[in-house]
Structure formats: C-alpha cells, structure tokens
Amino acid sequence: MAFNSGPVFVAAPIICSYPLLSLLYATMYGGGPTSYQLLLSSLVILGLSLTLTPQFGANLKFESNIVTTIFWSLVSALFFQFHFIWVKTRS
C-alpha cells in the first residue's frame, strides 16, 4: 500500500528503517546493541541513502497523498521489525 499510494523514494527509506527500530526495541528491553549490529544497521541506511539520493533531485513533484505514503511506510517498517522479534521468540 505504501508503494502504491506515493513515490517510492519516500516509502523505501521509511520501510527499510526497520534495523533502527530493532535496535531501539533491543535497547528498551535491556539488550543494548553490539557494535556489529550498529555497523550493519548503518550500512543498510547508508546504502539506502546512496541509492535514493539521486531520486530527490529528479522527483521534486510531491503528490497530495504523501501523508498516506508515510503512514503505510511506517506501518510496514513496524510490522517488518515485529516479524523478526516473533521469529526470534519462537526459536
């Protein structure tokens, strides 16, 4: 729904922010992130920014449903992160 409602260059970085959400969740429950986890999360975010930065210059036209795109992107990121928590607790 996020990709269908708005531009991909808005939805993709928000959806792919789930590593940061996972680190936040781990920190809240006392299992602080290791340096290895911080490094890998940073690489994910860096890769996204390098891939999507050229899109900002080429696509300056924002559509009226940008709020819908942001909402569904946040929902997607949260459920993606919760999936990994669920898998970890079941194993």
Side-chain angles (χ1 to χ4, degrees), residues 40-59:
L40 291 178
S41 295
S42 299
L43 287 176
V44 168
I45 302 303
L46 176 67
L48 283 170
S49 65
L50 291 176
T51 303
L52 298 172
T53 299
Q55 297 296 321
F56 286 108
N59 298 308

Side-chain angles (χ1 to χ4, degrees), residues 6-85:
V8 172
F9 73 92
V10 172
I14 295 171
I15 293 170
C16 293
S17 68
Y18 77 90
L20 297 178
L21 295 172
S22 297
L23 293 178
L24 178 66
Y25 178 79
T27 303
M28 286 173 26
Y29 285 96
T34 64
S35 58
Y36 180 71
Q37 291 169 327
L38 288 172
L39 174 68
L40 291 178
S41 295
S42 299
L43 287 176
V44 168
I45 302 303
L46 176 67
L48 283 170
S49 65
L50 291 176
T51 303
L52 298 172
T53 299
Q55 297 296 321
F56 286 108
N59 298 308
L60 293 177
K61 181 182 81 173
F62 288 99
E63 287 134 32
S64 61
N65 57 355
I66 197 85
V67 173
T68 306
T69 302
I70 292 171
F71 172 76
W72 285 114
S73 298
L74 287 171
V75 169
S76 298
L78 286 171
F79 278 108
F80 196 40
Q81 183 253 339
F82 286 136
H83 169 74
F84 287 112
I85 294 169

